[in-house]
Amino acid sequence: MVYHANYLRFMERGRTNHLRLMGASQHALFEQAQEETPGFAFVVRSMELDFLRPARMDDVLDVVTWPVAVKGASITLAQEVRRGVDVLVKAEVRVAFISEGRAKPIPKSLRQLMKADLAPD
């Protein structure tokens, strides 16, 4: 069976790939953000996990990621780890945008990109 902490690694990769799969040039966006807020980083602020079913060695897993809320200095994402149609793990992750160890407003270009992927109300 897959060790529970490995799901965190899978979801980290899912969050990284989320921007790439949206067609965003991460390099250009992050260069622009670096100019606006030098030394920035996204850090996990909180995470709620619900382990529903185990994964086993050699299972092919998908990590599905979508934004739930985009605020001034944080983004809340929903994530699911799936094996086919079966949801194995559900998570809600809040990531904060920081610079120099403090929360800062997310640069407009990044915030707009993430908001573009939100489901309409």
Side-chain angles (χ1 to χ4, degrees):
M1 291 203 206
V2 174
Y3 180 65
H4 71 281
N6 286 333
Y7 290 106
L8 299 177
R9 291 183 185 141
F10 302 159
M11 289 184 281
E12 178 73 28
R13 179 63 61 93
R15 290 189 301 275
T16 300
N17 284 337
H18 178 72
L19 281 177
R20 182 181 58 79
L21 293 172
M22 288 175 60
S25 169
Q26 288 188 63
H27 186 72
L29 283 173
F30 279 78
E31 276 186 4
Q32 182 180 349
Q34 185 68 26
E35 288 176 14
E36 293 178 39
T37 315
F40 79 89
F42 280 104
V43 296
V44 172
R45 173 69 174 90
S46 63
M47 182 180 277
E48 185 176 320
L49 296 163
D50 194 7
F51 297 97
L52 304 171
R53 296 182 173 158
R56 292 181 170 63
M57 297 298 290
D58 294 328
D59 281 351
V60 175
L61 304 176
D62 292 309
V63 178
V64 182
T65 305
W66 66 95
V68 174
V70 180
K71 297 186 179 177
S74 69
I75 300 168
T76 302
L77 299 159
Q79 291 191 280
E80 292 180 351
V81 178
R82 301 176 183 170
R83 179 183 52 230
V85 297
D86 294 329
V87 176
L88 308 180
V89 178
K90 288 184 177 186
E92 186 168 285
V93 184
R94 192 168 109 208
V95 294
F97 186 84
I98 65 164
S99 177
E100 300 172 348
R102 307 192 78 173
K104 302 282 184 182
I106 299 169
K108 186 177 181 179
S109 57
L110 290 176
R111 200 171 49 249
Q112 286 178 328
L113 175 69
M114 295 303 294
K115 282 186 175 184
D117 202 30
L118 286 172
D121 290 334

